[in-house]
Amino acid sequence: MLSAVVVGTGLIGTSVALALHGKGVAVHLRDTDPAAVRTAASLGAGMPQAPVGRVDLAVLAVPPALVGGVLADLQAEGLARHYTDVASVKAGPQQDVLALACDTAHYLGGHPLAGAERSGPLAARADLFEQCSWVLTPTADTDTETLNTVLELVSLCGAVPVVMGATAHDRAVALVSHAPHVVASLVAGQLDRAADRAVSLAGPGIRDLTRIAASDPRLWVDILSANAEAVADLLDSLAADLTDAVAGLRALAATDEAKRADGARTVEGLLVQGNAGRARIPGKHGSGAVRYETVAVPISDRPGELARLFVDAVRAGVNIEDVRLEHSVAQPSGLVHLAVAQSNASELEASLRGQGWSVR
């Protein structure tokens, strides 16, 4: 059975440790903050004591800028037979590892594409990586046993391995994670400057758009610093599209009919392109071609109502692909959105209505 040391007991490190420990792996915890180690250990993530002898795998859950130096120190210590990291950028750490003359044969860079708005060990979950992509960035001299050991880690965490080059990975996460985080923060910043009455009208759309803006700013400065050029290039491209959008909207407000028609074509083109891009995002089973439909069910806040809805949905024999709850603490009711394959939506609606639910 695999043995491991997780170095860094924040959200990702503690989640890795919880997942491994839950599968019977002997996990040792290490962090420069003793309180974080104690917290992670109290959650059942592993042992705060140092291992006796070398472990099979050391997982470096440290900021990207620290990966090279920490790896060099751990290899000099002889902590493990194999090493990986979970940093959200890969090219910079890989360059640092080479510059520090680390043993690259027994090190394999990695990045699980999972996270949460909250940080720290208390936000960790053993199932954080279930069905998430976990990028691996091997080099020409990566040892086969090291690759197999890290693949075992990915499997134990319930994730799906994806092999990419470090630079290609960084460009990809700039597109799907880093630039969107900046955009979400910019939109949320508009809310901070808005009148209370306007913000009080916020609904699920703006909540979804700005959800990731609640993350730790200091952590994200580290992440963005390590991938700044790629993110800046994407924001440049987005700025050009925003300029077109502004021009189109100004034209829509014009009195000249021809200008309004041009503006409508511009804005519609941007929205259609947005539809096309959204459709390419992979679904739960890895294909963006699968079409889903949402069945919306009003629900009261009485205890047990949500559980009763889920049980009745199961009775319909329809696979629920995603669930979203729209609810305000100030309201006595909410709306549960159940996403199902389009071909199953009518069947679920009919079954729920037959069991007394109102369906929208």
Side-chain angles (χ1 to χ4, degrees), residues 311-320 344 347-348 351:
V311 169
D312 288 347
V314 169
R315 286 176 179 151
V318 173
N319 193 42
I320 306 299
N344 293 330
E347 182 182 352
L348 177 62
S351 177

Side-chain angles (χ1 to χ4, degrees), residues 1-352:
M1 176 61 71
L2 190 72
S3 59
V5 173
V6 173
V7 182
T9 50
L11 166 67
I12 300 299
T14 303
S15 294
V16 169
L18 285 168
L20 293 179
H21 193 258
K23 296 294 177 60
V25 175
V27 181
H28 301 266
L29 306 171
R30 180 185 289 199
D31 198 299
T32 55
D33 181 0
V37 171
R38 288 194 297 271
T39 300
S42 71
L43 295 171
M47 301 170 282
Q49 298 86 2
V52 178
R54 286 198 303 171
V55 296
D56 296 312
L57 179 66
V59 181
L60 282 61
V62 299
L66 300 183
V67 168
V70 171
L71 177 63
D73 291 343
L74 296 182
Q75 288 186 337
E77 180 185 332
L79 180 66
R81 296 175 181 85
H82 311 284
Y83 300 83
T84 189
D85 73 88
V86 291
S88 59
V89 294
K90 301 270 58 91
Q94 192 175 91
Q95 292 165 5
D96 292 341
V97 166
L98 293 171
L100 292 167
C102 295
D103 173 10
T104 53
H106 296 100
Y107 160 74
L108 173 57
H111 174 209
L113 277 86
E117 299 82 57
R118 295 170 58 214
S119 58
L122 289 175
R125 301 191 338 250
D127 64 350
L128 184 66
F129 311 107
E130 289 287 343
Q131 296 304 307
C132 291
S133 296
W134 193 307
V135 176
L136 303 177
T137 55
T139 56
D141 64 341
T142 300
D143 180 75
T144 300
E145 188 179 350
T146 297
L147 175 59
N148 288 337
T149 301
V150 178
L151 284 171
E152 185 179 356
L153 162 71
V154 175
S155 176
L156 289 168
C157 290
V160 180
V162 178
V163 176
M164 297 179 72
T167 301
H169 163 274
D170 289 358
R171 287 197 298 264
V173 294
L175 172 65
V176 302
S177 176
H178 300 168
H181 192 97
V182 175
V183 173
S185 296
L186 293 174
V187 174
Q190 293 290 320
L191 295 175
D192 187 47
R193 296 190 288 272
D196 290 345
R197 188 169 181 80
V199 177
S200 71
L201 301 179
I206 193 68
R207 288 194 186 97
D208 288 347
L209 180 62
T210 60
R211 176 183 59 81
I212 55 177
S215 300
D216 183 354
R218 290 172 298 179
L219 171 65
W220 271 91
V221 168
D222 288 339
I223 293 170
L224 293 170
S225 296
N227 205 22
E229 285 294 339
V231 177
D233 288 344
L234 276 165
L235 292 178
D236 268 342
S237 177
L238 181 63
D241 287 342
L242 283 172
T243 298
D244 290 343
V246 170
L249 291 167
R250 298 290 186 204
L252 278 175
T255 56
D256 183 88
E257 186 174 337
K259 285 185 177 179
R260 289 202 305 273
D262 285 343
R265 281 191 292 272
T266 297
V267 173
E268 183 179 11
L270 292 169
L271 296 175
V272 167
Q273 189 172 31
N275 286 164
R278 178 67 176 80
R280 293 189 65 194
I281 297 175
K284 186 178 80 170
H285 302 298
S287 173
V290 178
R291 293 288 185 265
Y292 299 108
E293 188 167 322
T294 297
V295 176
V297 184
I299 185 171
S300 74
D301 62 356
R302 290 195 302 269
E305 283 293 275
L306 189 58
R308 184 169 71 86
L309 173 61
F310 288 158
V311 169
D312 288 347
V314 169
R315 286 176 179 151
V318 173
N319 193 42
I320 306 299
E321 300 290 341
D322 196 9
V323 178
R324 180 168 62 85
L325 178 62
E326 183 182 333
H327 183 257
S328 170
V329 293
Q331 300 298 324
S333 62
L335 197 62
V336 180
H337 300 264
L338 304 173
V340 298
Q342 281 185 343
S343 58
N344 293 330
S346 297
E347 182 182 352
L348 177 62
E349 288 178 8
S351 177
L352 290 177

